[in-house]
Amino acid sequence: MEALREAEAELTVYVHPSNAADVRRAVSRQLSTTLFSYEDRFEGVLLAHEVVVNGDRAKILNGLVPYFGVPVHANLLLYSPQPDMILEGKVELLGKESIHAIVLGVFSAAIMADDINEKFKFKRKGDGGKFISRSDRHHVIRKGSMIRFSVKRVDTEMNCHITGSLLPPHTGSMPWLSTHDAEYASEISSGTRRPSNVGIKIKNEQDHKTSDNEDSVINSERPHKKSRKRAWEE
Amino acid sequence: MGAELRRDDMEVAEEDISDSQAFRFVEHVLQSVRMDPFQVDLRDKEEYDSLLSIVDSSKKRSYDDEALLVTTLKALSEAVSKIDIMYHHALLNNIFTMSIWYLNSDTRDALLSLITRLAAVADQFLRECLQMLVNNFTPPGSLTAFIGQPRWLARKKEIYSQLHESLRMISDTVPLAPRMLKDIIDRSMPKLFDNKAKMVSFVECMLGLDNDRMGDLIGALLLAKVVDLLTELDVNITWEDILQDEHNKGIFDMELEDLGEDEDSLGQEGTKALFGGNACAEKLDGLMVVFCEHLKSCKEHGRLPQEFDILKTIFRASVLRVHKSKFAQFIMFYACSLDPEICGLEFALFLSDIFIKKEEDSISRMSAVSYVGSYLSRARFISADTVVGILKRLVDWCVDYCDLQNNIRITTKPINHQIFYASCQAVMYILCFRLRSIMDYPNLKAQLFNMPFGYILTHPLEPLKVCLPSIVDEFLRQAKAARLFNASVHSEFEDALESDLSKTFGGMNRLDMFFPFDPYLLKESDRYMRPNFEYWSMVKTTYNNYNSDVDDELVDLDAPEMNVGSLDDHVEIDLNSDDDLEYSMNKMSITPNRSFFHQIMANSDTGLTMPARIRPSISPPS
């Protein structure tokens, strides 16, 4: 999927001394608190991380709080939808007004009536209903369908919620597209839809506070972040 | 024109075709005011205002008004893309401040359907939708007086179910919504001084979310929030402080004493103390009922093991280190009683693990061993072999500790060995309650009698001088009757006992007292604990078969109300303890050595004849 990408990052993770006995675990927990949240520094949502701790030396953070900074090299899997990308999702809810789909089982996308009606017509049936293409009545979208849609807008403030559109070409129900859309079919055959591997190197410092209680069952609130320095290298 | 159109809608509201007309009308109204307010046509403004009037949350509605509201809500559900967060602010405000408790079932369905749709639209309204749903966890203030009535109970259940369904649908449509819901519930939790009805209603609805998929997502948070609230209420119950000093004396006698000659004044004092903390105790009582019902529901749906794992973690974080919590910890007691073989055993192992681990801080370790001591003593559902198994873990640890101290050969202050003393006290406390029943199983008796109690208790660390005198006294009394020690050890214990009595007044470095599962005093939720709780008055001891006075007291104690009795006993203990002390002093001053020697002789005689005179157990009240 276009929205997925891998990235390498050089980070400094600040660890509270109470976790000094197991620094690797503390670093992992720090990064895990940012899972499924949009991060400006990554320009996307962190889905997975693999961390290598560089050496066994760390610098004490100046000031009143005795955190120590641990330099790490991280491989990150990021979800970064951009306008005009084509994404796939499963329809969770649909009505006359809108289609609501879930991307990767986690991220929500809404396609409103204005972005549907030119190509599809809604047919009500009981509590639910379905959308039928105006040009081909076999092109149907119903609850549970896998659909392909274009990204119209991304709301990074709210967990990367997407507003999508079905108006551009090569969008609609995936089963129908795979047999009726030559370009999509050939794309599937050649396997060119794999996520691109962008070798972005991000040098970044994060000020993460570790929860003092490692046994807490509740992830702590997003910690206060201080971004000191950012350098992009490609 | 506008007025006529509205009347037409009302007249034919039941027909589908009129629904379509209403939908188009609403869509048109929304579209027509979706611009700078100064550019809005006056007629369109009036139509929008009438729309606002229909959805006014503060308005009382007739039957027709409610029907019109249903149609309007359905129309709005079909036009969510036309709703603008800026230009339709008044309409949205009316929707989000609506209380579903006043609405009919159909109207609630329509409103909640609209909320679900709004939540799915580009996250613009997600937070407000979730907040609106959480605000409806509790009925409006004016309804709280009636919420307990049968008519409202059914309605309440239906409303809770509809709220849960809406939240589940939002969670399906926006999978990351539960994360936001966490924050909203956190900020909306009842506070310490909210009234009981609000607390109970909120927590009851909230715990209903802890099931299936929502439970997986936020169940742990929900439980943690409730336990925090329980704990906060618990530490704010102040009545027990007045009885704190008396509580330290006669730990076993206090449950046996009948009301005495100074009943009037003591009764008054007790009553006054009880009233002082009534509010927090009542709230805690109500919440304990809700929590226990939730646990029972988990058991019925086969989810208790998962729930118990979460509860253990929460207990470890929120309850274990609370200084002398009184009743909140009984949620663990009840959860274990629902599944004694798995959860019951697991809790005992969990606590003893915390105690044994060196990495744990000393406060947690001492608290854990106090908990396991109190738990194994009071939980009737725990089997004797489990008790012996845990005792062995504790005793083995004590032996290792004594060996370590022997190597060090340094005499230090008792405070440095408080973990050791806490474990000794727990072991003795358990045996006070369980020794007699353990001896009924020959193999368990053999295991128990092979444990090196003598070595531990006569160690230079002198635990018998540091642990609570009432426990030491009761323990030694039962141990001698059961011949738990070799005859050669008797003389050392005799000396210990004498020294102990002489130190009662000074209380040299006496170990702090904490028995978390002492008798449960909250009235409403008592029914969950009582069937599985071991009261001292019901405990068969190794000596009581030949003491008819004790039997008489046992019979008498079956009658009084335990809640009131326990409180009064707390007060009563003071005088009786003083009397006992005076009596002991008198005996000591007359002929101390000869007196103890005579006692040993008496014990030997009665011990020899004990098997033939064992009496059947008195069955506890059902």
Side-chain angles (χ1 to χ4, degrees):
Chain A
M1 186 181 294
E2 271 187 279
L4 288 178
R5 62 188 178 92
E6 295 176 25
E8 291 182 28
E10 299 290 338
L11 308 170
T12 300
V13 179
Y14 287 94
V15 175
H16 191 272
S18 67
N19 294 286
D22 194 346
V23 170
R24 275 174 174 76
R25 180 161 174 264
V27 168
S28 269
R29 285 169 59 92
Q30 290 282 42
L31 289 175
S32 293
T33 62
T34 65
L35 289 172
F36 300 110
S37 295
Y38 182 84
E39 290 284 338
D40 279 330
R41 275 161 294 192
F42 301 150
E43 291 188 355
V45 176
L46 182 66
L47 295 184
H49 56 81
E50 183 185 47
V51 172
V52 176
V53 177
N54 302 326
D56 55 4
R57 289 170 168 248
K59 176 186 273 188
I60 300 294
L61 180 64
N62 291 329
L64 297 177
V65 182
Y67 287 89
F68 56 94
V70 183
V72 302
H73 179 91
N75 294 312
L76 310 173
L77 178 63
L78 302 169
Y79 172 70
S80 304
Q82 302 292 329
D84 295 325
M85 278 186 179
I86 303 290
L87 302 185
E88 296 102 21
K90 181 179 181 183
V91 174
E92 190 65 39
L93 179 72
L94 59 73
K96 177 169 169 288
E97 268 300 299
S98 56
I99 296 174
H100 299 278
I102 304 297
V103 179
L104 296 174
V106 174
F107 302 101
S108 56
I111 307 170
M112 308 312 294
D114 291 346
D115 295 305
I116 306 171
N117 288 339
E118 192 174 313
K119 278 176 62 175
F120 292 89
K121 178 181 181 181
F122 183 71
K123 185 149 189 157
R124 189 181 302 274
K125 186 176 184 181
D127 279 347
K130 55 189 176 181
F131 281 92
I132 303 176
S133 169
R134 297 183 188 274
S135 58
D136 183 343
R137 62 189 183 88
H138 296 294
H139 189 179
V140 176
I141 296 173
R142 51 172 66 87
K143 176 170 177 171
S145 296
M146 292 298 297
I147 60 170
R148 217 170 174 246
F149 60 92
S150 169
V151 175
K152 189 177 174 184
R153 187 171 73 247
V154 181
D155 192 341
T156 58
E157 288 295 318
M158 294 285 196
N159 296 322
C160 246
H161 180 92
I162 295 161
T163 303
S165 173
L166 288 176
L167 298 186
H170 319 306
T171 60
S173 168
M174 286 173 67
W176 184 88
L177 288 173
S178 65
T179 55
H180 291 82
D181 190 304
E183 180 175 323
Y184 181 65
S186 66
E187 199 176 303
I188 293 176
S189 305
S190 64
T192 56
R193 296 192 311 108
R194 294 183 183 175
S196 59
N197 190 342
V198 180
I200 299 178
K201 294 198 173 185
I202 308 169
K203 187 167 179 64
N204 213 334
E205 289 181 355
Q206 297 183 41
D207 184 1
H208 285 270
K209 288 190 175 185
T210 302
S211 168
D212 281 340
N213 190 342
E214 289 195 55
D215 292 336
S216 173
V217 298
I218 307 159
N219 280 335
S220 55
E221 295 294 329
R222 287 177 56 170
H224 169 72
K225 293 188 172 58
K226 185 164 64 172
S227 184
R228 287 178 159 187
K229 180 180 173 184
R230 173 179 298 183
W232 294 82
E233 302 176 16
E234 279 192 358
Chain B
M1 186 62 173
E4 290 176 16
L5 185 55
R6 274 184 56 228
R7 194 177 306 111
D8 288 343
D9 282 346
M10 290 180 64
E11 286 172 2
V12 295
E14 296 303 317
E15 297 180 22
D16 285 345
I17 191 167
S18 70
D19 274 1
S20 299
Q21 290 175 354
F23 290 8
R24 281 195 293 273
F25 169 76
V26 167
E27 193 169 315
H28 167 74
V29 170
L30 292 175
Q31 196 70 22
S32 62
V33 301
R34 193 173 181 176
M35 61 188 71
D36 192 322
F38 297 105
Q39 302 178 33
V40 175
D41 185 271
L42 191 60
R43 189 172 62 96
D44 292 332
K45 180 69 163 61
E46 287 172 0
E47 287 176 353
Y48 180 67
D49 286 345
S50 72
L51 185 63
L52 289 182
S53 175
I54 295 171
V55 191
D56 189 345
S57 57
S58 60
K59 185 178 153 188
K60 287 194 174 179
R61 294 182 181 82
S62 66
Y63 183 82
D64 285 345
D65 288 337
E66 189 110 353
L68 185 58
L69 175 61
V70 172
T71 305
T72 304
L73 291 171
K74 288 181 177 176
L76 287 170
S77 292
E78 297 277 323
V80 287
S81 69
K82 302 296 190 296
I83 298 178
D84 186 276
I85 196 167
M86 195 184 323
Y87 297 121
H88 301 130
H89 178 77
L91 176 64
L92 289 168
N93 184 67
N94 281 4
I95 293 170
F96 292 140
T97 55
M98 204 165 279
S99 170
I100 67 175
W101 289 80
Y102 290 121
L103 306 177
N104 293 332
S105 182
D106 287 344
T107 319
R108 288 200 299 269
D109 278 335
L111 176 58
L112 294 176
S113 176
L114 172 60
I115 293 291
T116 304
R117 294 269 175 179
L118 284 169
V121 177
D123 275 351
Q124 291 182 59
F125 312 111
L126 178 61
R127 183 174 292 275
E128 286 78 9
C129 291
L130 294 174
Q131 184 71 66
M132 182 268 186
L133 293 173
V134 172
N135 288 345
N136 278 284
F137 279 9
T138 53
S142 54
L143 273 183
T144 51
F146 313 106
I147 208 67
Q149 296 175 4
R151 181 173 67 95
W152 272 100
L153 281 180
R155 191 179 180 115
K156 181 175 80 168
K157 195 163 293 185
E158 187 185 358
I159 288 174
Y160 285 172
S161 178
Q162 286 174 308
L163 288 167
H164 298 154
E165 180 61 21
S166 294
L167 286 166
R168 189 188 66 77
M169 284 189 65
I170 292 175
S171 165
D172 286 348
T173 310
V174 188
L176 292 175
R179 172 183 267 175
M180 191 177 291
L181 181 61
K182 284 185 185 183
D183 294 338
I184 291 170
I185 289 182
D186 192 7
R187 281 186 283 98
S188 303
M189 279 292 295
K191 299 301 182 289
L192 187 65
F193 298 107
D194 287 329
N195 68 68
K196 175 179 177 179
K198 175 177 177 179
M199 280 187 175
V200 170
S201 182
F202 189 96
V203 170
E204 188 173 354
C205 185
M206 176 187 165
L207 287 180
L209 283 171
D210 183 20
N211 55 61
D212 301 324
R213 201 171 106 82
M214 287 297 278
D216 289 343
L217 293 167
I218 62 176
L221 168 84
L222 300 176
L223 288 182
K225 289 298 164 190
V226 178
V227 172
D228 284 345
L229 182 58
L230 296 175
T231 307
E232 193 177 2
L233 286 167
D234 200 347
V235 299
N236 277 275
I237 295 174
T238 58
W239 63 268
E240 190 171 295
D241 294 338
I242 297 178
L243 303 175
Q244 195 68 60
D245 293 333
E246 286 78 5
H247 201 53
N248 273 302
K249 301 172 183 174
I251 182 173
F252 297 105
D253 294 335
M254 72 183 187
E255 291 185 46
L256 291 171
E257 290 298 334
D258 296 319
L259 301 183
E261 51 196 68
D262 293 321
E263 177 181 359
D264 290 341
S265 60
L266 292 175
Q268 272 183 3
E269 185 178 343
T271 304
K272 188 194 301 181
L274 180 59
F275 286 168
N278 209 25
C280 282
E282 292 233 340
K283 295 172 187 174
L284 180 59
D285 200 2
L287 291 179
M288 291 295 286
V289 171
V290 172
F291 203 99
C292 290
E293 285 295 326
H294 174 69
L295 291 174
K296 192 198 290 183
S297 168
C298 288
K299 163 76 173 178
E300 287 162 1
H301 291 92
R303 296 185 51 252
L304 187 62
Q306 303 94 293
E307 200 80 350
F308 188 73
D309 281 343
I310 297 172
L311 263 186
K312 280 193 313 183
T313 306
I314 295 169
F315 172 84
R316 174 74 182 80
S318 298
V319 181
L320 183 66
R321 296 166 54 92
V322 172
H323 183 59
K324 297 197 175 182
S325 65
K326 307 170 199 67
F327 309 117
Q329 63 269 21
F330 274 84
I331 57 175
M332 302 305 294
F333 189 93
Y334 182 66
C336 293
S337 70
L338 290 172
D339 193 351
E341 284 78 30
I342 295 177
C343 297
L345 171 60
E346 201 175 318
F347 189 51
L349 292 172
F350 168 75
L351 290 168
S352 53
D353 282 345
I354 293 175
F355 166 70
I356 288 169
K357 273 171 61 178
K358 294 176 188 173
E359 297 81 22
E360 297 281 357
D361 62 283
S362 61
I363 291 177
S364 294
R365 296 176 75 187
M366 286 186 64
S367 187
V369 77
S370 298
Y371 265 95
V372 74
S374 190
Y375 174 64
L376 294 180
S377 304
R378 298 290 192 171
R380 186 178 290 161
F381 50 83
I382 293 295
S383 62
D385 57 334
T386 298
V387 173
V388 172
I390 301 296
L391 275 177
K392 179 158 174 51
R393 295 188 86 193
L394 299 181
V395 169
D396 286 348
W397 182 89
C398 290
V399 170
D400 292 343
Y401 192 89
C402 290
D403 290 342
L404 182 66
Q405 296 304 311
N406 288 342
N407 294 336
I408 295 179
R409 296 180 183 279
I410 298 175
T411 304
T412 55
K413 300 174 182 176
I415 192 76
N416 296 332
H417 307 284
Q418 55 184 0
I419 294 175
F420 170 73
Y421 294 127
S423 64
C424 290
Q425 177 159 292
V427 167
M428 288 191 281
Y429 189 70
I430 294 169
L431 289 175
C432 289
F433 277 82
R434 292 282 189 164
L435 181 52
R436 179 67 182 82
S437 61
I438 290 173
M439 287 172 61
D440 287 338
Y441 302 86
N443 61 321
L444 296 182
K445 177 179 177 181
Q447 289 182 47
L448 187 70
F449 277 50
N450 279 331
M451 294 184 196
F453 295 108
Y455 170 59
I456 297 169
L457 297 177
T458 58
H459 189 269
L461 288 169
E462 299 180 321
L464 294 180
K465 294 184 180 177
V466 179
C467 295
L468 281 167
S470 52
I471 295 177
V472 172
D473 187 21
E474 178 66 25
F475 168 74
L476 290 180
R477 191 177 173 194
Q478 292 206 42
K480 288 180 181 179
R483 307 180 72 83
L484 184 63
F485 311 121
N486 298 328
S488 59
V489 186
H490 278 314
S491 58
E492 299 198 48
F493 287 154
E494 180 183 351
D495 293 342
L497 185 58
E498 181 176 358
S499 303
D500 176 64
L501 289 174
S502 68
K503 294 188 190 321
T504 300
F505 304 99
M508 178 195 73
N509 293 308
R510 267 186 16 196
L511 191 63
D512 202 12
M513 170 176 153
F514 178 44
F515 300 95
F517 295 118
D518 269 355
Y520 191 78
L521 301 181
L522 300 176
K523 290 178 164 50
E524 202 178 333
S525 44
D526 176 72
R527 64 180 187 271
Y528 297 98
M529 313 304 168
R530 181 175 290 269
N532 296 294
F533 191 82
E534 188 77 85
Y535 291 94
W536 172 245
S537 56
M538 295 298 142
V539 171
K540 301 294 292 180
T541 61
T542 54
Y543 54 79
N544 68 356
N545 57 310
Y546 42 87
N547 188 334
S548 59
D549 291 340
V550 176
D551 288 334
D552 291 342
E553 292 182 49
L554 287 173
V555 174
D556 291 339
L557 272 176
D558 288 349
E561 179 67 29
M562 184 54 66
N563 290 342
V564 178
S566 295
L567 180 59
D568 288 324
D569 285 347
H570 285 235
V571 181
E572 185 65 26
I573 284 302
D574 194 2
L575 296 184
N576 288 281
S577 294
D578 289 342
D579 289 344
D580 289 344
L581 291 173
E582 287 177 349
Y583 179 69
S584 300
M585 290 186 67
N586 290 337
K587 291 180 64 179
M588 291 168 59
S589 63
I590 294 176
T591 51
N593 289 332
R594 198 181 306 171
S595 171
F596 281 99
F597 180 76
H598 178 69
Q599 187 173 347
I600 293 177
M601 292 295 295
N603 287 341
S604 295
D605 288 342
T606 55
L608 290 175
T609 60
M610 183 179 66
R613 297 182 56 187
I614 293 176
R615 297 165 69 151
S617 301
I618 296 177
S619 58
S622 58

